[in-house]
Amino acid sequence: MPFQPRELFPDRSARDLFGAEIRRHREKADMSLRRLSEVLNYSKSHLARIEAAESLPYDDLPAKLDACFGTDGMFARIYALAKNEPFKSKYRQRMEVEKRAVAIEEYACATIPGLLQTPEHAKASLRIGNRYAPEAEIDAMTKARINRQARLHEVQPPDCWFIVDEAALYRAAGEPEVMRDQLMSLIERGTQPHVTIQILPFNAGQHPVAGGSLMLFTLPNEPLLAYEEGSRSGTFIEERDQVAKHRRNYDLLRAMALSPHDSEAMIRAVMKDWSSWELPPT
């Protein structure tokens, strides 16, 4: 089956506009991605992700594109807008909702929630999911993820409730020291008055949200909003009956999880395990 380039929406996003203009000028010049990467001395795989609006370019690319296509600073001007959109379009709506929420409730099935990750843990997790991305791209993604946590330090932060599956405490991302620091950070975050952390233990058994993640957002003067996320996609749920079902499921998880006090005790016990563990050689 021939390659089908991702559909772009330049009227919705500066990142999409940047990618669409690369594609338009490249095709107008009858250039393949490989040929353009050779002319620009730029990674072909990274260039493909930029054209698909899946990744942001390095700062030097807009000038190279303007020189290549004779576009008199057009790419530089679009990039000035695009770099203010650190998240891919499929995640951007979630981030905008997250910024406005007065209460955030999240269940994470296999990873530490992004709002609770340390920089080192975030970087290791992002590297696992983007094995061939350049280091600078991983650094930019890490910065964007950690910057989300500024909401938790505002004068009036949202009330946050996190239910973390026990599996996430054992799922290695980075060296054992990174995992120990991450777990200590969970304990410290749990002492904040607006943050509650519970661990859902293995012996709780099966539950309605197994295999995925669930978030509930309370927005000012708006109905409750639910968000489901899998390994490759995320979906907002606005239908009242479906949101009510997710509300009940989350409340059930809350009842099945350990108390905040017992959750902290489990985290401390797992920290001791990480003190004696070593990752296998790569």
Side-chain angles (χ1 to χ4, degrees):
M1 180 180 294
F3 171 73
Q4 295 296 322
R6 173 186 175 273
E7 183 179 4
L8 295 167
F9 300 93
D11 57 330
R12 301 182 192 176
S13 160
R15 282 176 64 145
D16 277 52
L17 178 60
F18 193 91
E21 287 299 319
I22 293 177
R23 183 178 295 169
R24 184 172 73 86
H25 282 81
R26 178 175 63 77
E27 292 177 347
K28 184 179 178 181
D30 195 25
M31 297 177 71
S32 66
L33 265 174
R34 180 178 298 280
R35 178 55 184 155
L36 182 58
S37 72
E38 293 171 350
V39 171
L40 300 178
N41 191 26
Y42 211 84
S43 163
K44 176 180 176 289
S45 60
H46 192 197
L47 195 61
R49 291 195 297 273
I50 294 167
E51 185 176 288
E54 292 291 325
S55 178
L56 278 176
Y58 304 142
D59 290 345
D60 63 342
L61 182 62
K64 289 183 176 182
L65 289 167
D66 283 322
C68 176
F69 296 121
T71 42
D72 192 28
M74 180 198 72
F75 282 101
R77 291 190 292 272
I78 298 175
Y79 176 63
L81 299 174
K83 68 181 180 180
N84 294 320
E85 300 176 353
F87 297 102
K88 301 175 185 178
S89 57
K90 65 181 179 180
Y91 298 125
R92 201 168 300 131
Q93 184 185 3
R94 172 187 158 182
M95 300 309 153
E96 291 302 317
V97 169
E98 189 175 276
K99 288 179 183 178
R100 296 192 295 118
V102 296
I104 299 171
E105 298 163 274
E106 179 173 0
Y107 164 68
C109 67
T111 60
I112 304 297
L115 287 172
L116 297 178
Q117 290 182 6
T118 64
E120 295 77 15
H121 189 276
K123 185 172 183 178
S125 299
L126 288 165
R127 170 54 70 193
I128 292 168
N130 300 272
R131 294 176 58 193
Y132 303 110
E135 193 68 15
E137 184 177 349
I138 296 296
D139 288 341
M141 295 166 67
T142 302
K143 181 180 178 181
R145 178 172 292 184
I146 297 304
N147 284 349
R148 289 170 51 204
Q149 299 176 8
R151 281 236 58 204
L152 304 187
H153 304 290
E154 294 176 353
V155 175
Q156 292 185 312
D159 289 323
C160 295
W161 199 297
F162 299 98
I163 301 175
V164 182
D165 200 283
E166 183 179 352
L169 307 183
Y170 291 98
R171 188 74 63 190
E175 297 296 325
E177 182 178 353
V178 171
M179 293 300 298
R180 290 195 298 271
D181 290 346
Q182 174 62 75
L183 298 186
M184 176 54 71
S185 179
L186 287 183
I187 293 171
E188 293 170 349
R189 291 290 184 87
T191 64
Q192 296 176 283
H194 58 284
V195 175
T196 301
I197 298 175
Q198 290 182 273
I199 303 301
L200 185 68
F202 292 137
N203 62 17
Q206 289 291 341
H207 56 82
V209 197
S213 296
L214 171 65
M215 299 186 76
L216 299 173
F217 296 102
T218 301
L219 303 172
N221 304 312
E222 295 184 32
L224 185 69
L225 191 60
Y227 179 82
E228 286 183 311
E229 187 169 270
S231 61
R232 295 183 179 275
S233 62
T235 305
F236 273 105
I237 298 98
E238 300 181 68
E239 296 81 2
R240 185 171 298 181
D241 60 335
Q242 291 299 310
V243 173
K245 183 187 78 171
H246 288 298
R247 168 81 278 170
R248 292 192 297 272
N249 287 344
Y250 193 88
D251 289 343
L252 177 59
L253 288 179
R254 199 187 332 251
M256 296 170 68
L258 300 176
S259 70
H261 179 270
D262 290 344
S263 295
E264 178 181 334
M266 173 174 279
I267 294 171
R268 290 187 182 277
V270 177
M271 282 180 63
K272 292 180 182 179
D273 290 341
W274 277 111
S275 297
S276 59
W277 286 11
E278 290 188 7
L279 296 178
T282 56

